[in-house]
Amino acid sequence: MSQPQPRRTIRELPDVLISQIAAGEVIERPASVVRELVDNALDAGARHITLRLLGGGIRLISVEDDGCGIPVEELPVALKRHATSKIVSLEDLESVATMGFRGEALAAVNSVSDMSLLSRTEGAATAFLLDGQTGEVRPAARAVGTTVEVKELFFSTPARRHFLKSENTELAHCIEAVRRHALVRAEVSFAIWHEGKIVEQWRSHPGEAGWNQRLADVLGEDFVTSSVNIDFRSGPVHVRGRAGTPDAARARADQQFAYVNGRFVRDKVITHGARSAYEDVLHGQRQPVYVLYLQMDPTRVDVNVHPTKIEVRFRDSREVHQAMRHAIERALAVPRAQLISGSDNIRPQSATPDMSFLSPTPSAPSTQSTWSQRGMAFGTDRSAEDPAKAMADLKALWGNTQQVEERAPGFAQGIAAGASKQLPQAHTAHEWPLGRAIAQLQGVYILAENSQGLIVVDMHAAHERIVYERLKQQLGTTQINSQPLLIPASFAATPQEMNTAENCTAVLQQLGLEVSALSAKTLAVRAVPTSLAQGDAVELARSVLAELAQHDAATVVQRAQNEILATMACHGAVRANRKLTLDEMNALLRQMEDTERSDQCNHGRPTWRQVSMRELDALFLRGR
Ligand SMILES: Nc1ncnc2c1ncn2[C@@H]1O[C@H](COP(=O)(O)OP(=O)(O)OP(=O)(O)O)[C@@H](O)[C@H]1O
Ligand SMILES: [Mg+2]
């Protein structure tokens, strides 16, 4: 993040340098003015920034800061085009650490509004006010810092004023402009006033811890609680920040904030890299949420490609794409259950309400038995400490994954063995993030108890994810096993399907499919993936052909393969209405804790939810 440099004199840039700076319109609407003025305040080292607006910023934008101020003799220079204190040479431009560097903003604003600059530097006897229209300078009262007032934006260019939207819309854009700054500068306080009323106020939060607080202030508590921390280095790129879990995704892409060396950017490489990290867990049009800060050597990124500096160009976009993708992917892969167990908001066990008055024996040995005695445990608990019995139960459970077994021998046993190692022991019931199974509800949900309250697991969805992740791991890069069909399935194909089938034989083969032409308009499916042999071969072939036609063959293999695996997993996963024993349920919970991305099923829906004691208490109006 940019640190204020010792202040230099404002000078006009040499012509050669001017010609190298991305030129173009910088002021489109009030929010562009706000962005430029807040940039300047931050560059001046401000700790408190106050924005006052009238009429959505169209009638007045005033930005007050407590930064270093502008010496009186430089006030008129500040309004000149290509006059800046931030760079003097091309080398400076290549490693620029300030928000500004063009010396363009104030001149541009001054040319389309009625503007004034009021500023005072440390040690000056008074402040000075510069009238942007007349160029007149006179002493005035003010503490150290600067106030820039911009009145009647576009007053002399009615055509441009005409393009502005309603005051409310322009106000929203102005707030958004400050929000982008606020998310990256937690140590600075911001206040926004509109028509004399305060509309946003974000207090300063110094230090690392304060930063989460700032995110919560600006984006809401929900953003923080439903996102994971990111701190990931990949070559020269360091990615930090927070990325939302898939269930925090939104219909619009309005909570995607990316910064490069402290500068807010809109960049396709970054957006795409982030999106691809969610490929496996977010389906449809849902938009992930994130606030991510990329740090890299300034020479690896060109900030001088767009007049408003909102776009950048990376020296190596691949490295940035990869860094984004891997940073988010890794962070999301950690099952949230693990994160919960490590967090300090766990309800202490003693806070669990005492239910013993419900039980016939005065001191129930554990909450488990308390629940049992109330007749709420539907499973059998008799083998909780008998690994051999549990193993047998598990084998029975995973018997449903027969197809999976064919594909990846030893797979089911792997799960069973892995699970048996971690069989729950009564005295450690509270050590598992997803808790200890207490019942199965209507053959659909597993209910478990942990220190925070109740855990509800969608058993099919959870198992589907576990099977899918295991399959992906097992398959690695090898090709999918295929099985010839006794009778080839033929279908009337479109010209595009004919074409794709002919051009992509090798890719199809890799996916376990053999599709060839029977006639000029008919295709025949001759082989399908072994594990999908029971399914509709034509439907499968057509959807794969459609995918292939749309995408570049190199990426489709990976994606389509995952889709096929997902379909397999769905067939292989334990079905609803299957009665599970407590051991089976506990084994599933332990597997979830250990499986990457187990918080969502393959369709992006959550696999489990925590219902806290507080929520339960609220349901029963306890403690009111
Ligand atoms: N709030 C402020 N506090 C102190 N100095 C300021 C402030 N605003 C502007 N200045 C001075 O005025 C100069 C011109 O500002 P202007 O925004 O036009 O250009 P810039 O910030 O240098 O570059 P850019 O056009 O990229 O924003 C700055 O270089 C800075 O020295
Ligand atoms: Mg500037």
Side-chain angles (χ1 to χ4, degrees):
M1 269 127 257
S2 66
Q3 287 302 312
Q5 310 277 310
R7 194 180 178 281
R8 292 192 283 206
T9 317
I10 308 177
R11 288 180 211 282
E12 297 189 64
L13 292 170
D15 285 349
V16 259
L17 194 46
I18 292 174
S19 63
Q20 275 162 327
I21 286 178
E25 201 53 68
V26 292
I27 305 300
E28 293 160 29
R29 61 189 337 163
S32 347
V33 177
V34 170
R35 184 194 55 222
E36 294 295 343
L37 299 185
V38 176
D39 268 358
N40 282 349
L42 291 170
D43 283 347
R47 291 283 142 170
H48 301 281
I49 299 178
T50 305
L51 170 68
R52 292 175 208 277
L53 303 165
L54 292 179
I58 304 167
R59 279 174 38 228
L60 171 80
I61 299 167
S62 151
V63 174
E64 286 167 34
D65 68 52
D66 58 351
C68 63
I70 307 171
V72 58
E73 64 281 7
E74 292 179 32
L75 279 174
V77 194
L79 291 195
K80 287 199 172 156
R81 288 199 68 195
H82 312 302
T84 179
S85 59
K86 299 170 190 174
I87 60 167
V88 291
S89 64
L90 189 60
E91 293 79 74
D92 287 350
L93 177 56
E94 280 166 356
S95 59
V96 69
T98 47
M99 296 289 141
F101 54 80
R102 305 155 307 180
E104 187 92 51
L106 291 184
V109 175
N110 191 40
S111 70
V112 292
S113 70
D114 179 359
M115 180 172 126
S116 69
L117 272 181
L118 171 64
S119 195
R120 177 172 175 177
T121 52
E122 190 73 58
T126 175
F128 289 91
L129 179 75
L130 166 74
D131 182 322
Q133 295 298 302
T134 61
E136 184 196 340
V137 178
R138 60 182 166 82
R142 199 205 187 282
V144 172
T146 304
T147 303
V148 183
E149 266 192 18
V150 177
K151 288 185 196 147
E152 302 300 336
L153 189 64
F154 300 140
F155 72 98
S156 57
T157 47
R160 293 180 66 190
R161 196 155 176 159
H162 188 72
F163 277 104
L164 296 177
K165 301 275 189 300
S166 72
E167 286 187 2
N168 277 342
T169 305
E170 295 303 334
L171 170 66
H173 284 288
C174 290
I175 296 174
E176 185 63 17
V178 185
R179 193 190 303 269
R180 289 171 183 176
H181 284 105
L183 287 173
V184 69
R185 300 296 293 269
E187 78 287 7
V188 179
S189 75
F190 295 86
I192 309 177
W193 297 74
H194 186 240
E195 302 286 348
K197 292 197 200 86
I198 190 140
V199 289
E200 289 288 1
Q201 184 164 32
W202 300 310
R203 295 179 202 290
S204 61
H205 297 293
E208 198 72 3
W211 169 67
N212 265 337
Q213 188 55 50
R214 172 55 62 87
L215 292 185
D217 291 350
V218 177
L219 298 174
E221 291 283 351
D222 283 358
F223 176 84
V224 180
T225 50
S226 54
S227 60
V228 290
N229 192 55
I230 289 185
D231 188 347
F232 181 80
R233 277 176 202 279
S234 163
V237 187
H238 188 183
V239 187
R240 303 184 64 191
R242 294 192 78 83
T245 54
D247 53 330
R250 299 161 71 90
R252 296 196 304 133
D254 58 351
Q255 284 199 359
Q256 299 182 347
F257 299 88
Y259 297 81
V260 174
N261 294 342
R263 190 186 299 282
F264 177 85
V265 296
R266 282 232 173 279
D267 180 81
K268 287 214 180 74
V269 173
I270 292 182
T271 320
H272 192 269
R275 180 77 226 183
S276 67
Y278 284 93
E279 208 168 70
D280 224 11
V281 284
L282 207 57
H283 289 246
Q285 299 304 310
R286 305 286 293 165
Q287 293 289 343
V289 300
Y290 50 80
V291 178
L292 292 168
Y293 311 93
L294 284 79
Q295 289 292 133
M296 64 191 80
D297 189 296
T299 57
R300 302 193 76 79
V301 48
D302 186 358
V303 292
N304 178 30
V305 291
H306 191 269
T308 66
K309 306 173 203 145
I310 199 159
E311 288 170 20
V312 289
R313 191 182 299 129
F314 298 109
R315 192 198 282 181
D316 183 346
S317 4
R318 242 182 68 107
E319 80 187 9
V320 173
H321 189 273
Q322 296 248 342
M324 280 297 287
R325 180 181 175 126
H326 292 152
I328 302 178
E329 230 168 35
R330 294 247 178 127
L332 289 178
V334 180
R336 201 165 29 167
Q338 277 177 26
L339 301 174
I340 286 184
S341 74
S343 77
D344 49 359
N345 63 355
I346 288 194
R347 254 179 106 99
Q349 199 172 336
S350 60
T352 309
D354 183 10
M355 297 277 194
S356 55
F357 65 92
L358 286 168
S359 89
T361 35
S363 59
S366 74
T367 37
Q368 164 73 37
S369 59
T370 308
W371 285 100
S372 310
Q373 280 148 5
R374 293 183 64 199
M376 291 188 68
F378 308 124
T380 47
D381 195 25
R382 63 203 149 79
S383 61
E385 278 143 64
D386 176 358
K389 164 71 182 62
M391 179 79 111
D393 285 349
L394 276 168
K395 282 198 171 142
L397 165 66
W398 308 118
N400 269 17
T401 59
Q402 210 177 357
Q403 300 182 7
V404 173
E405 274 250 58
E406 284 169 25
R407 285 291 311 111
F411 164 70
Q413 286 95 327
I415 289 187
S420 71
K421 266 188 269 153
Q422 316 155 13
L423 274 178
Q425 304 292 311
H427 61 93
T428 53
H430 286 272
E431 285 171 16
W432 285 287
L434 292 179
R436 183 186 178 89
I438 49 179
Q440 190 183 10
L441 188 64
Q442 306 275 349
V444 177
Y445 297 108
I446 293 172
L447 307 183
E449 180 198 21
N450 69 357
S451 56
Q452 293 171 75
L454 179 70
I455 295 269
V456 184
V457 175
D458 178 334
M459 123 195 150
H460 173 74
H463 190 204
E464 187 179 313
R465 171 57 80 176
I466 292 170
V467 175
Y468 174 57
E469 289 295 331
R470 286 297 161 115
L471 273 175
K472 273 204 307 193
Q473 235 175 44
Q474 300 256 334
L475 269 171
T477 50
T478 57
Q479 116 179 5
I480 295 178
N481 282 354
S482 128
Q483 172 181 318
L485 294 180
L486 277 179
I487 307 156
S490 63
F491 64 99
T494 64
Q496 190 185 45
E497 286 170 337
M498 296 297 303
N499 208 9
T500 317
E502 191 185 338
N503 295 332
C504 303
T505 339
V507 179
L508 285 167
Q509 201 179 357
Q510 234 179 317
L511 294 171
L513 277 162
E514 195 188 318
V515 184
S516 58
L518 265 190
S519 73
K521 288 184 179 169
T522 317
L523 284 175
V525 190
R526 296 177 186 279
V528 294
T530 311
S531 45
L532 297 180
Q534 315 305 327
D536 184 332
V538 171
E539 209 174 286
L540 176 71
R542 294 192 91 154
S543 54
V544 173
L545 287 173
E547 277 270 348
L548 282 172
Q550 267 178 40
H551 303 282
D552 149 40
T555 63
V556 83
V557 179
Q558 182 65 39
R559 292 196 29 211
Q561 177 169 314
N562 285 352
E563 260 153 44
I564 292 178
L565 294 186
T567 314
M568 290 163 64
C570 188
H571 287 301
V574 59
R575 291 279 148 199
N577 293 323
R578 165 106 155 69
K579 279 264 178 289
L580 299 186
T581 65
L582 279 180
D583 288 329
E584 290 173 334
M585 292 186 240
N586 277 317
L588 185 66
L589 297 176
R590 303 295 79 80
Q591 284 299 304
M592 287 172 67
E593 286 157 3
D594 273 0
T595 302
E596 292 192 345
R597 289 174 281 270
S598 64
D599 301 329
Q600 271 74 32
C601 78
N602 303 335
H603 313 287
R605 289 188 294 272
T607 54
W608 64 277
R609 292 281 189 201
Q610 171 91 56
V611 186
S612 69
M613 286 309 297
R614 200 180 309 159
E615 287 163 284
L616 289 171
D617 289 350
L619 272 181
F620 295 97
L621 311 175
R622 275 178 69 102
R624 296 239 175 124

